[in-house]
Amino acid sequence: MGASSIPILVIIVALHLIAFVLAVGAERRRSTAKEMPDKYDEQTYCLYGSDASTAYGLSAFGLLLISQTVVNGVTKCLCFGKGMMGGRSTTCAVFFFIFSWVSFLGAEACLLAGSARNAYHTKYRGVFGGSHLSCATLRKGVFAAGAALTLLSMIGSVFYYWTHAKADTGGWEKHRSEGLGMTSSSFMDNQKQLKHDEFEKN
């Protein structure tokens, strides 16, 4: 893996880590609600706190999507490149490709579902002194699961990119082309030497 691969790895890791921090922040800032009596009539309503968690969750969702697009764009999504040499590196690349996609989809599902549920507010009202009004809130742990899967996605993406770079045939094809060029050059030199020797004999 050459020096040109380092910026790609930095981008992948940075985007995942920022998404992880945002997912953790979303878990800590989940919207809370409590039943409050309406001072103008005999009804109760749900009073909700901050919706910052929704913004954090959607931001993490977007960053994770960008990171996955970058790594699969560079590697041609494993399917559309020049192909890879057989061996252990290729097997590892396929494994981490699947692993990164499974963890990515799981993280995105948690982040999107958590953001949508956190943004939902109970609109109907209850009767004051009557049955208890149930205020809908996001259950604990959804964004936390998204954060954990984001870290797994980062690990999978980094190792997938690394093993793909090792198994990529680009380097082998380059060396093979260079070898063919050197062989052709040597052949032409030999032909010129033979013609020169025949000319001197005549």
Side-chain angles (χ1 to χ4, degrees):
M1 189 164 58
S4 61
S5 303
I6 302 301
I8 302 299
L9 286 176
V10 170
I11 292 172
I12 294 170
V13 172
L15 289 174
H16 274 86
L17 288 179
I18 297 173
F20 170 77
V21 171
L22 288 171
V24 172
E27 177 65 26
R28 294 174 62 88
R29 297 289 302 276
R30 284 180 302 112
S31 181
T32 57
K34 57 182 178 180
E35 186 180 3
M36 297 289 291
D38 194 322
K39 59 183 179 181
Y40 297 108
D41 54 36
E42 295 183 353
Q43 290 184 323
T44 59
Y45 65 97
C46 292
L47 178 64
Y48 285 87
S50 172
D51 282 337
S53 149
T54 298
Y56 290 167
L58 291 177
S59 298
F61 177 90
L63 290 174
L64 202 56
L65 182 62
I66 293 172
S67 179
Q68 191 74 0
T69 302
V70 169
V71 68
N72 284 279
V74 172
T75 60
K76 302 294 191 297
C77 199
L78 193 67
C79 308
F80 304 104
K82 298 179 181 179
M84 296 185 295
M85 299 175 64
R88 186 176 179 182
S89 294
T90 299
T91 303
C92 290
V94 173
F95 170 78
F96 284 115
F97 173 76
I98 297 173
F99 180 82
S100 68
W101 267 103
V102 171
S103 55
F104 163 75
L105 292 175
E108 292 288 74
C110 289
L111 294 171
L112 187 60
S115 299
R117 183 61 177 173
N118 187 78
Y120 175 76
H121 293 174
T122 299
K123 300 297 184 182
Y124 62 87
R125 292 171 175 259
V127 178
F128 183 72
S131 59
H132 179 67
L133 179 62
S134 178
C135 299
T137 56
L138 174 66
R139 63 185 301 178
K140 185 178 181 179
V142 176
F143 283 122
L149 288 170
T150 296
L151 284 183
L152 291 178
S153 175
M154 180 185 73
I155 294 171
S157 296
V158 168
F159 277 99
Y160 162 58
Y161 182 73
W162 179 57
T163 52
H164 182 279
K166 290 181 65 177
D168 194 1
T169 59
W172 177 77
E173 289 181 352
K174 179 181 178 182
H175 292 311
R176 184 183 65 173
S177 299
E178 289 176 351
L180 290 173
M182 292 176 64
T183 303
S184 300
S185 178
S186 299
F187 177 77
M188 294 298 294
D189 290 341
N190 290 335
Q191 290 294 318
K192 289 180 180 179
Q193 185 63 37
L194 288 174
K195 291 181 178 180
H196 180 70
D197 293 342
E198 290 178 358
F199 178 77
E200 289 182 347
K201 288 180 180 179
N202 294 333

